[in-house]
Amino acid sequence: MDKNDVHKTNSFYWDTQGNDFLSAIVLPYYGAFVSEEKCQLFGDVSGKKLLEIGCGNGQSLQYQAERSASELWAVDISERQIKKAAQHLESYGLSAKLICSPMEDECGIPTAYFDYVYSIYAIGWTTDLEGTFQRIASYLKKDGVFIFSWSHPIHRSVTEDNGRFVFKKSYFDEAWYPVAVEGDLLLADRKLSTYVNALAKAGFVIEQMIEETDDEIMQSKDDNSDMAKRAKMFPVTFVIKARKLGELL
Ligand SMILES: C[S@@+](CC[C@H](N)C(=O)[O-])C[C@H]1O[C@@H](n2cnc3c(N)ncnc32)[C@H](O)[C@@H]1O
C-alpha cells in the first residue's frame, strides 16, 4: 500500500467523519477499560513539556493542561481535528501549539525538547512505524518518556461466531485493509513484536506494558457490550511506557 494513498484516504476520513463512527478515546482512558487514574504511567506532569501525537479533538490535551503541564504541543494529520482541538481548548481557556501534519513527516517540532511524548489510539495509523518512533525519540530529552495506547492485535484478529471467539485473520498479517466503517478508512494491524522491536531500534527501553482489562472499570460501567465481552476474554487495548536511553550513534 502506498503511503500517500493511506494519508489521502485517512485524512479525508478524519476531515469528514471525525469521531462520528469511531468514538473518541481520551485521557484519563487509554482504551475502553484502562485508565491513567489507576495505572499512573505519567505521574506528576506539572511543569513538564508534553507532545501528543494524533491529538484528535483535544480532550487529552485538556487533561494534561489541567494537570499543570507547562507546555503542550500536538500534531494531527486532519485539519478538522486540529480545528476541533483548538476550539475545545479555547472553550476551557487553554491553549497548545497545534500542527497539522502526518506524524511520519518533519513538521517543525523541536528536538531534544520534551519530557513526555504520548499518543492515545493514534500511533497505529502511521505508515512508517520505525521512522515515527525514531522521530519521537528525537523530540524527547534524554530519559524522556513515551507513552502510547493502541488496539491490541489479538482483538483485531478475533471475531465472535455462534458465541465463540475465533480467528478471522492471521495474527501475523500486517497488510493495510479497509475498515468496516461509514466512509473509507485504511488500517494495518501490527504484531506486538513489531512495536517492541521498533521501540528498541529507536533507542527506547520499555518500562511497563499493560494488556489487562481493569475489572473495576468494567464493573463500574456495568457494560454488556460486545467490547466488554471481548475484554473479559482477551486484551482489547495495549499500553506501553518506554524511556529514551540516549542518542543513538
Ligand atoms: C482515533 S483518533 C485518536 C485521537 C484521540 N485520542 C481521539 O480519540 O479522538 C486518531 C487520530 O489520529 C489522526 N491521524 C491518523 N493518521 C495520522 C497520521 N498519519 N499522522 C498524524 N495523525 C494521524 C486522526 O486525524 C485522528 O485525529
Side-chain angles (χ1 to χ4, degrees), residues 107-124:
C107 59
I109 297 174
T111 56
Y113 189 75
F114 294 94
D115 300 291
Y116 294 86
V117 176
Y118 69 96
S119 183
I120 312 299
Y121 268 71
I123 280 296

Side-chain angles (χ1 to χ4, degrees), residues 6-7 10-11 13-15 18-19 22-27 29 52-60 75-79 81-82 99 101-105 119-127 132 150 185:
V6 174
H7 282 172
N10 286 1
S11 56
Y13 176 87
W14 294 106
D15 278 342
N19 283 327
L22 307 176
S23 54
I25 300 161
V26 297
L27 287 172
Y29 289 102
E52 179 166 0
I53 306 291
C55 62
N57 60 17
Q59 283 172 265
S60 298
V75 60
D76 197 290
I77 199 171
S78 157
E79 275 175 32
Q81 296 289 86
I82 288 285
I99 298 173
S101 167
M103 65 180 97
E104 296 91 327
D105 293 356
S119 183
I120 312 299
Y121 268 71
I123 280 296
W125 299 111
T126 182
T127 52
T132 300
W150 184 247
L185 183 63

Side-chain angles (χ1 to χ4, degrees), residues 24 43 70 87 95 105 137 167 177 194 200 209 219 222:
S70 68
Q87 284 166 350
S95 66
D105 293 356
F167 273 83
Y177 64 93
T194 301
M209 175 166 167
Q219 279 157 19
D222 195 20

Side-chain angles (χ1 to χ4, degrees), residues 162-219:
N162 285 325
R164 297 178 76 99
F165 290 110
V166 295
F167 273 83
K168 65 176 174 191
K169 62 178 284 221
S170 164
Y171 175 79
F172 305 114
D173 180 0
E174 299 192 329
W176 288 85
Y177 64 93
V179 191
V181 289
E182 190 85 13
D184 293 333
L185 183 63
L186 296 167
L187 180 64
D189 302 321
R190 298 176 175 97
K191 307 184 295 291
L192 279 185
S193 55
T194 301
Y195 287 95
V196 168
N197 292 328
L199 285 169
K201 205 166 172 184
F204 286 103
V205 63
I206 295 176
E207 291 194 343
Q208 200 171 340
M209 175 166 167
I210 297 167
E211 292 183 294
E212 307 79 53
T213 299
D214 186 312
D215 288 339
E216 272 178 42
I217 300 177
M218 178 93 85
Q219 279 157 19

